[in-house]
Amino acid sequence: GAGVSQSPSNKVTEKGKDVELRCDPISGHTALYWYRQSLGQGLEFLIYFQGNSAPDKSGLPSDRFSAERTGGSVSTLTIQRTQQEDSAVYLCASSSERGKIGELFFGEGSRLTVL
Amino acid sequence: GDSVTQMEGPVTLSEEAFLTINCTYTATGYPSLFWYVQYPGEGLQLLLKATKADDKGSNKGFEATYRKETTSFHLEKGSVQVSDSAVYFCATGGGNKLTFGTGTQLKVEL
């Protein structure tokens, strides 16, 4: 498809397990973002990739969270030793613009439930 | 850091009513301002934006004006429709990321 694709759309896991969430951005988009959407909390910035530059990891809430982007395209967000407070919808977005931020194109999200 | 405050919902209106969703921001420099909309079962999508003071963004009958003196970017529509029912997010863009508000749910009834 032409949009941002995320998988899985839903993930239920047990506390303490590791999870991986995948994002396939729009082809040709150099910028990729991960946000977290919790009930009543709005969207929380997690991490930003731009081309081959070092990622901006300033939003990652703890060292249990990490993300990589291979070949400047697909990205994986990994949460180790999941906790119940990690339950949220994880949103990926991509953009074609460099420098000053422009329009972000969002995927439909991966809903994570930690039991 | 940057922050966005928007009115809490849900906001419930009758069809053809006038809509205002308030949004104020704090940011350094001269950020761009955005409204994103999330329709039920869909991902967020850009509704409108403004990149400098006094600019007016508009789309689908919605408007918002970048007011630097009041640090506001209120969303308005003169006559809402049932199909406008969604969650609306105000955002400020400084540097390389967007900072979002908590979202305002709009319900439009016949």
Side-chain angles (χ1 to χ4, degrees), chain A residues 33 35 37-38 40-45 48 50 56 58-59 89 91 97 99-109, chain B residues 30-32 34 36 38 41-46 49 51-52 89 92-103:
Chain A
Y33 301 78
Y35 281 84
Q37 185 177 19
S38 304
Q41 298 295 315
L43 278 74
E44 175 189 4
F45 167 78
Y48 160 69
Q50 175 60 273
D56 176 354
S58 60
V89 177
L91 296 173
E97 300 187 50
K100 190 171 186 180
I101 193 162
E103 180 176 2
L104 268 58
F105 293 83
F106 283 85
E108 293 188 16
Chain B
Y30 301 92
S32 295
F34 304 82
Y36 278 76
Q38 187 174 31
E42 299 184 16
L44 274 83
Q45 55 187 274
L46 178 67
K49 70 177 182 182
T51 57
K52 62 183 186 297
F89 293 88
T92 177
N96 56 21
K97 63 177 181 277
L98 292 183
T99 299
F100 287 86
T102 54

Side-chain angles (χ1 to χ4, degrees), chain B residues 16-84:
Chain B
E16 299 183 1
F18 184 85
L19 168 72
T20 300
I21 301 178
N22 290 337
C23 171
T24 57
Y25 68 92
T26 59
T28 55
Y30 301 92
S32 295
L33 300 174
F34 304 82
W35 278 99
Y36 278 76
V37 59
Q38 187 174 31
Y39 297 104
E42 299 184 16
L44 274 83
Q45 55 187 274
L46 178 67
L47 179 61
L48 55 84
K49 70 177 182 182
T51 57
K52 62 183 186 297
D54 300 324
D55 267 3
K56 178 185 287 187
S58 61
N59 186 25
K60 300 182 180 180
F62 290 88
E63 294 182 339
T65 301
Y66 190 142
R67 300 289 188 199
K68 191 164 179 63
E69 65 275 14
T70 55
T71 61
S72 65
F73 194 54
H74 305 320
L75 182 68
E76 297 182 336
K77 186 173 185 180
S79 176
V80 294
Q81 306 299 312
V82 172
S83 57
D84 294 327

